[in-house]
Amino acid sequence: MVSVNSRAVAPEVGRAPVLEAVELDFDHDIELVLAFLNTCDAEKGTEVLDDHVRWQRWCTDRGLVVVSEVEAAREIRDTMRSAVTYGMRPSGLANTTWPVQIQLRNGIPSLVGVDALGSVLVAATRLVHTEHWDRIKICPAEDCLWAFYDRSRNRSRTWCSMRVCGNREKARSWRERHTPA
Protein backbone atom coordinates (compact mmCIF):
# COMPACT_ATOMS: atom_id res chain seq x y z
CA MET A 1 0.00 0.00 0.00
CA VAL A 2 1.33 3.39 -1.00
CA SER A 3 0.55 6.43 1.09
CA VAL A 4 0.56 9.81 -0.62
CA ASN A 5 0.86 13.10 1.19
CA SER A 6 -1.75 15.30 -0.46
CA ARG A 7 0.22 18.44 0.34
CA ALA A 8 3.19 17.11 -1.57
CA VAL A 9 1.07 16.37 -4.63
CA ALA A 10 -1.15 19.46 -4.52
CA PRO A 11 0.30 22.22 -2.40
CA GLU A 12 -2.11 24.62 -0.72
CA VAL A 13 -2.89 27.68 -2.76
CA GLY A 14 -3.13 30.94 -0.88
CA ARG A 15 -6.80 31.85 -1.17
CA ALA A 16 -8.77 34.65 0.44
CA PRO A 17 -11.80 33.54 2.43
CA VAL A 18 -15.06 33.89 0.52
CA LEU A 19 -16.49 36.53 2.87
CA GLU A 20 -13.47 38.77 2.35
CA ALA A 21 -13.47 38.23 -1.42
CA VAL A 22 -17.09 39.38 -1.68
CA GLU A 23 -16.54 42.20 0.83
CA LEU A 24 -19.70 41.59 2.83
CA ASP A 25 -20.44 44.32 5.32
CA PHE A 26 -22.54 42.82 8.10
CA ASP A 27 -22.67 46.09 10.02
CA HIS A 28 -24.23 47.78 7.00
CA ASP A 29 -26.74 44.92 6.63
CA ILE A 30 -27.60 45.11 10.34
CA GLU A 31 -28.04 48.89 10.20
CA LEU A 32 -30.24 48.70 7.11
CA VAL A 33 -32.47 45.94 8.49
CA LEU A 34 -32.79 47.69 11.88
CA ALA A 35 -33.60 51.02 10.24
CA PHE A 36 -36.29 49.29 8.18
CA LEU A 37 -37.74 47.47 11.20
CA ASN A 38 -37.75 50.77 13.12
CA THR A 39 -39.76 52.69 10.52
CA CYS A 40 -42.51 52.58 13.14
CA ASP A 41 -41.77 54.24 16.47
CA ALA A 42 -44.12 53.37 19.36
CA GLU A 43 -42.59 55.96 21.69
CA LYS A 44 -42.98 58.88 19.27
CA GLY A 45 -46.11 57.46 17.65
CA THR A 46 -44.68 57.86 14.14
CA GLU A 47 -45.06 55.58 11.14
CA VAL A 48 -42.84 56.18 8.10
CA LEU A 49 -44.77 53.66 6.02
CA ASP A 50 -48.09 55.53 6.26
CA ASP A 51 -46.92 58.22 3.88
CA HIS A 52 -45.34 57.87 0.41
CA VAL A 53 -43.29 61.05 0.90
CA ARG A 54 -41.74 59.85 4.19
CA TRP A 55 -41.07 56.42 2.68
CA GLN A 56 -39.34 58.01 -0.34
CA ARG A 57 -37.27 60.23 1.99
CA TRP A 58 -36.29 57.14 4.02
CA CYS A 59 -35.12 55.43 0.82
CA THR A 60 -33.17 58.41 -0.54
CA ASP A 61 -31.54 59.06 2.86
CA ARG A 62 -30.01 55.59 2.59
CA GLY A 63 -29.07 55.88 -1.08
CA LEU A 64 -31.63 53.28 -2.13
CA VAL A 65 -33.75 53.19 -5.27
CA VAL A 66 -37.19 54.42 -4.26
CA VAL A 67 -40.11 52.04 -4.42
CA SER A 68 -43.57 53.51 -4.74
CA GLU A 69 -45.20 50.47 -3.13
CA VAL A 70 -45.36 51.66 0.46
CA GLU A 71 -48.09 49.07 1.22
CA ALA A 72 -45.74 46.22 0.26
CA ALA A 73 -43.01 47.77 2.42
CA ARG A 74 -45.35 47.92 5.41
CA GLU A 75 -46.44 44.30 4.91
CA ILE A 76 -42.86 43.09 4.62
CA ARG A 77 -41.77 45.16 7.64
CA ASP A 78 -44.64 43.87 9.80
CA THR A 79 -43.95 40.27 8.75
CA MET A 80 -40.24 40.63 9.55
CA ARG A 81 -41.03 42.21 12.94
CA SER A 82 -43.36 39.28 13.73
CA ALA A 83 -40.65 36.82 12.78
CA VAL A 84 -38.17 38.57 15.08
CA THR A 85 -40.61 39.10 17.97
CA TYR A 86 -42.30 35.72 18.04
CA GLY A 87 -39.67 33.58 16.35
CA MET A 88 -42.27 32.31 13.93
CA ARG A 89 -42.10 32.19 10.20
CA PRO A 90 -45.32 33.79 8.99
CA SER A 91 -46.82 32.24 5.88
CA GLY A 92 -48.53 35.42 4.65
CA LEU A 93 -45.74 36.36 2.25
CA ALA A 94 -44.85 32.86 1.11
CA ASN A 95 -45.77 33.60 -2.51
CA THR A 96 -44.34 37.11 -2.61
CA THR A 97 -41.31 37.58 -4.82
CA TRP A 98 -39.03 40.54 -5.04
CA PRO A 99 -36.59 41.40 -7.80
CA VAL A 100 -32.99 40.82 -6.88
CA GLN A 101 -29.98 40.39 -9.11
CA ILE A 102 -27.05 38.10 -8.91
CA GLN A 103 -23.80 39.86 -9.66
CA LEU A 104 -20.30 38.47 -9.80
CA ARG A 105 -17.95 40.25 -7.41
CA ASN A 106 -14.37 39.07 -7.63
CA GLY A 107 -15.70 36.00 -9.42
CA ILE A 108 -18.11 35.10 -6.60
CA PRO A 109 -21.91 35.30 -7.06
CA SER A 110 -23.59 37.85 -4.81
CA LEU A 111 -27.23 38.90 -4.32
CA VAL A 112 -28.01 42.58 -4.92
CA GLY A 113 -31.32 44.36 -4.36
CA VAL A 114 -32.84 46.13 -7.36
CA ASP A 115 -34.71 48.67 -5.21
CA ALA A 116 -35.10 49.64 -1.56
CA LEU A 117 -37.16 46.63 -0.53
CA GLY A 118 -34.94 44.30 -2.51
CA SER A 119 -31.89 45.75 -0.75
CA VAL A 120 -33.52 45.27 2.67
CA LEU A 121 -34.51 41.69 1.83
CA VAL A 122 -31.03 40.86 0.49
CA ALA A 123 -29.47 42.30 3.67
CA ALA A 124 -31.89 40.26 5.81
CA THR A 125 -31.14 37.13 3.76
CA ARG A 126 -27.40 37.57 4.33
CA LEU A 127 -28.04 37.99 8.06
CA VAL A 128 -30.10 34.79 8.12
CA HIS A 129 -27.48 32.78 6.25
CA THR A 130 -24.62 34.04 8.41
CA GLU A 131 -26.53 33.46 11.67
CA HIS A 132 -26.71 37.17 12.55
CA TRP A 133 -30.52 37.25 12.18
CA ASP A 134 -31.11 35.54 15.54
CA ARG A 135 -29.40 38.48 17.28
CA ILE A 136 -32.01 40.94 16.02
CA LYS A 137 -34.59 41.47 18.74
CA ILE A 138 -37.54 43.71 19.54
CA CYS A 139 -37.60 45.50 22.90
CA PRO A 140 -40.51 44.06 24.93
CA ALA A 141 -41.43 47.42 26.51
CA GLU A 142 -44.92 48.27 25.24
CA ASP A 143 -44.04 51.94 24.90
CA CYS A 144 -40.84 51.19 22.96
CA LEU A 145 -40.88 48.08 20.70
CA TRP A 146 -37.59 49.23 19.14
CA ALA A 147 -35.61 46.72 17.06
CA PHE A 148 -32.00 46.29 18.16
CA TYR A 149 -29.03 44.00 17.58
CA ASP A 150 -27.95 41.90 20.56
CA ARG A 151 -24.15 42.14 20.71
CA SER A 152 -23.90 40.39 24.08
CA ARG A 153 -21.63 37.37 24.18
CA ASN A 154 -24.34 34.93 25.26
CA ARG A 155 -27.18 36.54 23.26
CA SER A 156 -29.16 37.26 26.43
CA ARG A 157 -29.92 40.94 26.03
CA THR A 158 -33.61 41.71 26.50
CA TRP A 159 -33.98 45.49 26.39
CA CYS A 160 -32.93 47.95 23.73
CA SER A 161 -31.40 49.96 26.58
CA MET A 162 -30.92 48.99 30.21
CA ARG A 163 -30.73 52.70 31.09
CA VAL A 164 -34.19 53.43 29.73
CA CYS A 165 -36.48 50.46 29.06
CA GLY A 166 -34.75 48.00 31.38
CA ASN A 167 -34.66 50.56 34.18
CA ARG A 168 -38.35 51.41 33.73
CA GLU A 169 -39.31 47.75 33.90
CA LYS A 170 -37.19 47.13 36.98
CA ALA A 171 -38.78 50.16 38.68
CA ARG A 172 -42.29 48.93 37.79
CA SER A 173 -41.49 45.49 39.10
CA TRP A 174 -40.07 46.90 42.35
CA ARG A 175 -43.16 49.09 42.87
CA GLU A 176 -45.46 46.10 42.33
CA ARG A 177 -43.54 44.00 44.85
CA HIS A 178 -43.41 46.76 47.46
CA THR A 179 -46.92 48.19 47.16
CA PRO A 180 -49.18 47.04 50.00
CA ALA A 181 -52.07 44.96 48.75
Side-chain angles (χ1 to χ4, degrees):
M1 180 166 155
V2 175
S3 173
V4 177
N5 181 345
S6 62
R7 291 182 192 264
V9 175
E12 277 189 38
V13 177
R15 211 164 65 173
V18 174
L19 294 179
E20 289 176 16
V22 181
E23 298 175 13
L24 294 178
D25 185 357
F26 296 115
D27 287 333
H28 177 265
D29 289 344
I30 291 165
E31 285 178 30
L32 179 60
V33 170
L34 289 178
F36 182 67
L37 292 175
N38 288 326
T39 52
C40 60
D41 189 336
E43 190 172 29
K44 293 179 183 175
T46 59
E47 171 62 83
V48 171
L49 301 179
D50 274 349
D51 180 18
H52 288 284
V53 174
R54 277 192 260 165
W55 168 236
Q56 289 178 350
R57 189 177 323 121
W58 186 93
C59 294
T60 55
D61 287 350
R62 285 156 186 80
L64 301 172
V65 176
V66 178
V67 180
S68 61
E69 302 163 2
V70 71
E71 295 81 15
R74 189 178 320 109
E75 185 178 3
I76 289 170
R77 192 261 333 262
D78 293 346
T79 301
M80 288 173 64
R81 284 183 67 89
S82 292
V84 169
T85 303
Y86 304 113
M88 60 183 210
R89 305 297 180 236
S91 60
L93 294 174
N95 297 324
T96 302
T97 58
W98 210 260
V100 295
Q101 295 176 345
I102 300 174
Q103 294 179 351
L104 285 178
R105 292 183 181 170
N106 300 322
I108 298 172
S110 175
L111 288 176
V112 178
V114 174
D115 56 21
L117 286 178
S119 297
V120 168
L121 291 171
V122 165
T125 300
R126 283 194 292 256
L127 295 178
V128 168
H129 288 288
T130 57
E131 299 181 8
H132 287 79
W133 178 261
D134 292 335
R135 287 184 174 264
I136 294 178
K137 298 180 179 180
I138 306 290
C139 183
E142 292 294 324
D143 55 346
C144 180
L145 302 174
W146 197 250
F148 65 94
Y149 187 77
D150 181 358
R151 294 187 187 275
S152 67
R153 184 178 292 203
N154 62 357
R155 302 175 185 212
S156 64
R157 190 169 154 195
T158 302
W159 310 101
C160 65
S161 166
M162 274 310 294
R163 290 182 186 167
V164 180
C165 293
N167 191 31
R168 286 180 194 161
E169 182 57 32
K170 286 181 178 186
R172 274 188 219 115
S173 176
W174 186 88
R175 278 192 305 273
E176 288 174 6
R177 286 192 315 267
H178 292 86
T179 301

